[in-house]
Amino acid sequence: AKSAGKNQFQPYDSLSASIQNRKLKIAKQLRNAIKNNEFSLVYQPIVQLSSGRTVGSEALIRWTNAENETIGPDEFIPVAEHSGQIIEIGNWVLQKACEQCKTWHSAGTMKHIMAINVSSFQLKAPFFAKGLSDILTSLSLPAECIHIEITENIAITEDKMSVSALYEISDLGIKLLLDDFGTGYSCLSYLKNLPFDILKIDRSFMPANNTIASTIIAMGHELKMEIIAEGIETLDCYRFLNKLNCQYGQGYLFQKPVPPSKFDIFRQFNQEV
Ligand code: C2E
Ligand code: CA
Ligand code: CA
Ligand code: CA
């Protein structure tokens, strides 16, 4: 090893080396994760703000590795994207979430929407829309039950394959949702050029009385798009958004993401309590 005096950037180098090691370790552990049943999905209600009614849910992946350590999707999804494992993991999520949707759809009196997060890397893979359509056919699940959530990403607009995948999904009758809206690259050209139906306002804009949130809602209304607000944690925030006619919301105020056994499709939020 070099002496510390000569190597002034050593603390940074060793920091990035340990991050690199952790990523490599995660990529290695991910290899057997599906086979070993280490993934599960939890579901968070999507609430119609005017009525408090649960209209659907968002599927969120959870991972407990072989060492019994829980690793969050914010950490392992980027690793899986980089390694290519996101394709297999993403397919697992699609299948599992659609099966759950079918169960709830059949049990309920109204349709249950299932919102599924899809990585931009999945869109680049050939036949993504075909795979999705095959899952719907095999479950005889109506396309209008599924929402696909895509995070703003410059890589999508610049990739012909991804853009045509978005149109194919949309042509199936599946609604496309632009996730984390307002945090990413190119909000307005996205809305103009791509077939998105719904905007999800990022939770970083969520404290009540936020001008950015109200501006996004007003713009969404102008564009005839539906709006979902994520990260609603307080009654004040809920009332603020409801007053602005934001149609839907999610957040700890209503419920944290839970396993399917704890999810109640008939749950109604009562703002008086
Ligand atoms: P996201 O799609 O923006 O999901 C919202 C995140 O906010 C979730 O974190 C959710 O648990 C959390 N959340 C919900 N309500 C509240 C609230 O009131 N307050 C706060 N502070 N947080 C709230 P989670 O489950 O850790 O997921 C993180 C990200 O990982 C997701 O962000 C999404 O980008 C990604 N992700 C999760 N599941 C999947 C998946 O199946 N596939 C892909 N490609 N990405 C996924
Ligand atoms: Ca999402
Ligand atoms: Ca978000
Ligand atoms: Ca996200």
Side-chain angles (χ1 to χ4, degrees), residues 10-84:
Q10 210 251 326
Y12 297 98
D13 285 346
S14 58
L15 178 65
S16 75
S18 75
I19 291 172
Q20 227 27 62
N21 280 338
R22 169 132 176 115
K23 287 183 181 163
L24 281 172
K25 193 177 162 201
I26 288 174
K28 204 171 156 217
Q29 291 177 335
L30 279 174
R31 268 181 230 154
N32 297 314
I34 291 183
K35 201 180 68 202
N36 295 345
N37 248 316
E38 292 169 9
F39 292 123
S40 62
L41 292 180
V42 290
Y43 299 87
Q44 184 176 44
I46 299 170
V47 174
Q48 183 178 45
L49 297 184
S50 59
S51 65
R53 206 163 57 75
T54 299
V55 295
S57 54
E58 178 180 6
L60 295 155
I61 194 168
R62 295 291 176 264
W63 179 32
T64 303
N65 70 17
E67 291 166 18
N68 214 23
E69 184 189 0
T70 305
I71 300 175
D74 274 334
E75 183 169 18
F76 76 79
I77 294 286
V79 175
E81 288 177 334
H82 190 249
S83 67

Side-chain angles (χ1 to χ4, degrees), residues 151 179-181 183 200-204 230:
T151 300
D179 209 345
D180 295 347
F181 186 74
T183 62
K200 189 179 272 190
I201 310 173
D202 192 68
R203 69 170 188 259
S204 59
E230 70 173 18

Side-chain angles (χ1 to χ4, degrees), residues 6-191:
K6 279 181 192 166
N7 189 356
Q8 298 196 25
F9 297 103
Q10 210 251 326
Y12 297 98
D13 285 346
S14 58
L15 178 65
S16 75
S18 75
I19 291 172
Q20 227 27 62
N21 280 338
R22 169 132 176 115
K23 287 183 181 163
L24 281 172
K25 193 177 162 201
I26 288 174
K28 204 171 156 217
Q29 291 177 335
L30 279 174
R31 268 181 230 154
N32 297 314
I34 291 183
K35 201 180 68 202
N36 295 345
N37 248 316
E38 292 169 9
F39 292 123
S40 62
L41 292 180
V42 290
Y43 299 87
Q44 184 176 44
I46 299 170
V47 174
Q48 183 178 45
L49 297 184
S50 59
S51 65
R53 206 163 57 75
T54 299
V55 295
S57 54
E58 178 180 6
L60 295 155
I61 194 168
R62 295 291 176 264
W63 179 32
T64 303
N65 70 17
E67 291 166 18
N68 214 23
E69 184 189 0
T70 305
I71 300 175
D74 274 334
E75 183 169 18
F76 76 79
I77 294 286
V79 175
E81 288 177 334
H82 190 249
S83 67
Q85 291 159 312
I86 188 65
I87 303 299
E88 210 188 336
I89 296 171
N91 286 338
W92 180 88
V93 170
L94 283 176
Q95 179 69 39
K96 193 87 181 164
C98 287
E99 285 170 11
Q100 188 60 63
C101 184
K102 176 68 184 182
T103 304
W104 283 337
H105 186 67
S106 309
T109 48
M110 279 166 291
K111 79 171 177 208
H112 184 93
I113 301 281
M114 180 63 70
I116 307 173
N117 291 286
V118 165
S119 157
S120 60
F121 287 78
Q122 291 173 265
L123 292 179
K124 285 195 213 315
F127 311 118
F128 175 82
K130 171 76 168 68
L132 185 51
S133 139
D134 287 349
I135 293 174
L136 298 184
T137 307
S138 72
L139 293 167
S140 36
L141 187 63
E144 63 261 28
C145 290
I146 302 297
H147 288 178
I148 295 292
E149 302 200 356
I150 311 266
T151 300
E152 301 180 60
N153 181 338
I154 194 91
I156 297 178
T157 19
E158 291 182 349
D159 181 61
K160 282 206 180 96
M161 196 81 156
S162 306
V163 173
S164 61
L166 289 178
Y167 278 95
E168 287 170 33
I169 297 167
S170 182
D171 287 345
L172 290 171
I174 293 172
K175 283 191 177 164
L176 285 169
L177 179 151
L178 190 50
D179 209 345
D180 295 347
F181 186 74
T183 62
Y185 301 83
S186 59
C187 329
L188 294 172
S189 70
Y190 254 81
L191 298 183

Side-chain angles (χ1 to χ4, degrees), residues 211-270:
T211 331
I212 298 177
S214 54
T215 305
I216 294 174
I217 292 166
M219 187 194 67
H221 287 153
E222 281 297 317
L223 294 167
K224 308 267 181 284
M225 297 178 86
E226 293 186 324
I227 316 280
I228 302 182
E230 70 173 18
I232 302 175
E233 294 182 354
T234 65
L235 213 44
D236 275 353
C237 183
Y238 166 74
R239 289 184 176 139
F240 170 75
L241 293 164
N242 194 23
K243 214 176 285 168
L244 294 172
N245 294 318
C246 174
Q247 294 101 325
Y248 303 102
Q250 290 172 249
Y252 296 165
L253 174 69
F254 308 120
Q255 197 173 30
K256 288 193 174 182
V258 290
S261 59
K262 296 221 172 89
F263 193 97
D264 176 8
I265 54 172
F266 299 109
R267 188 183 171 112
Q268 179 146 5
F269 178 75
N270 179 357

